[in-house]
Amino acid sequence: MNQSRQFLMLSEMEPGQFADSFVLLVSRERATTRDGKPYFRVQFRDHALTATAMVWSDTPWFSDCDANWTEGEFYKVRARYDESKYGPQLDLDRIRPVNEEDAADGFDPGLYYSRSRFSSEEMFSELMEITREQITEIPLQKLVLDILTQYADQIKTIAAASKNHHAFTGGYLEHVLSVTKTACFLADKYQAYYQQMQPPLNKSLVVAGAILHDIGKLTELEYRPHGSRYTPAGRLIGHILLGRDLVREHASRMEGLNPDTLLRLEHMIVSHQNLPEWGSPIAPHTPEALLVHYADDIDAKFHMMATTLENILPGNEDEFSGRDNALRRSIFLGLKSPEETGE
């Protein structure tokens, strides 16, 4: 193996290449082999790629990994990069924490944090515009604007989750805006389809519920650039009830808000995950809540599937992805010809 060394970003490395690289440690999971020996599955990344390193109990840095390696810290590694059906892999040769001198070699922590591909300022402006134009019940509009304005900085920054979907800086706003746009489309469609409903479908409520369905995550999650984590309130109460409480608190200061409207809005928040095992104490019992649930569900799940497909490695010869994704399922990639598979 040619081990001539050079410095590269992790995402610049080619299979079989041996190089020095600065990486962010994002995950360190301890497990046990079938023989009862401990090991760690460690994930490192830069801004564009995440790679896994297996730290076995007989390697020289197992004890250091166990005692000192920390999620959210930067390291300089010397490693061989490879790709397998399990994704990008690193075979470590050396590793140490980043120090001040590394800046001279081009280390910049700002290059290692994942963020939305869209501008947070532009997404927030669009969400505010939708609120003003699509929520025509003025007290309800004022309630949503009041919440968005007070928590604007946090809304523009936080992730939507600690993992699985939109788990990056700006991910919360990207998800909420996407859900809201889908909910607007669904409300218009079904309002036109079913004009004899009593009471009629309330588009203002659909839009308000879509914007505020995850508002409790402002309290549930502690934002960190390398990966959010749950707060004590998030673990013990959860974003559904935290969100209902936040909306109820702001609504208490709103004049003219119809009690029926507030009740329906609260129901949309507590029911948006549909099932008790997903966190909702009750399923959707109004048409508005039903639309918000499905708009939320499809956005989260499509993101999971799209992210898996965006990370299929070039030259992949399999017809299905692996199951190591947020959906825990193999995703069909297409039939391969004998020429492609080498058979």
Side-chain angles (χ1 to χ4, degrees), residues 302-314 316 319-321 325 327 330-334:
F302 194 89
H303 176 85
M304 296 175 195
M305 185 169 285
T307 299
T308 301
L309 296 177
E310 286 178 341
N311 287 284
I312 297 297
L313 298 171
N316 177 75
E319 294 180 338
F320 287 86
S321 75
N325 57 65
L327 290 172
S330 298
I331 300 170
F332 183 54
L333 306 178

Side-chain angles (χ1 to χ4, degrees), residues 22 45 48 64 74 80 98 103 216-217 230 256 289 306 327 334:
F22 297 118
R45 70 167 168 82
D64 192 34
F74 292 99
R80 184 178 188 271
V98 164
K217 289 189 175 181
Y230 286 92
L327 290 172

Side-chain angles (χ1 to χ4, degrees), residues 23-91:
V23 292
L24 174 65
L25 195 161
V26 293
S27 175
R28 186 182 65 107
E29 299 177 354
R30 185 182 178 112
T32 305
T33 66
R34 293 180 181 178
D35 297 331
K37 296 181 179 179
Y39 70 92
F40 285 95
R41 183 176 184 269
V42 184
Q43 290 190 312
F44 298 100
R45 70 167 168 82
D46 64 8
H47 68 291
L49 184 136
T50 300
T52 300
M54 305 303 294
V55 181
W56 308 106
S57 59
D58 57 356
T59 57
W61 43 79
F62 178 83
S63 296
D64 192 34
C65 176
D66 187 26
N68 300 314
W69 293 9
T70 305
E71 293 181 6
E73 296 295 329
F74 292 99
Y75 294 84
K76 183 178 182 179
V77 300
R78 183 171 297 164
R80 184 178 188 271
Y81 174 78
D82 274 307
E83 295 173 352
S84 74
K85 65 179 181 179
Y86 300 107
Q89 306 288 313
L90 279 183
D91 184 10

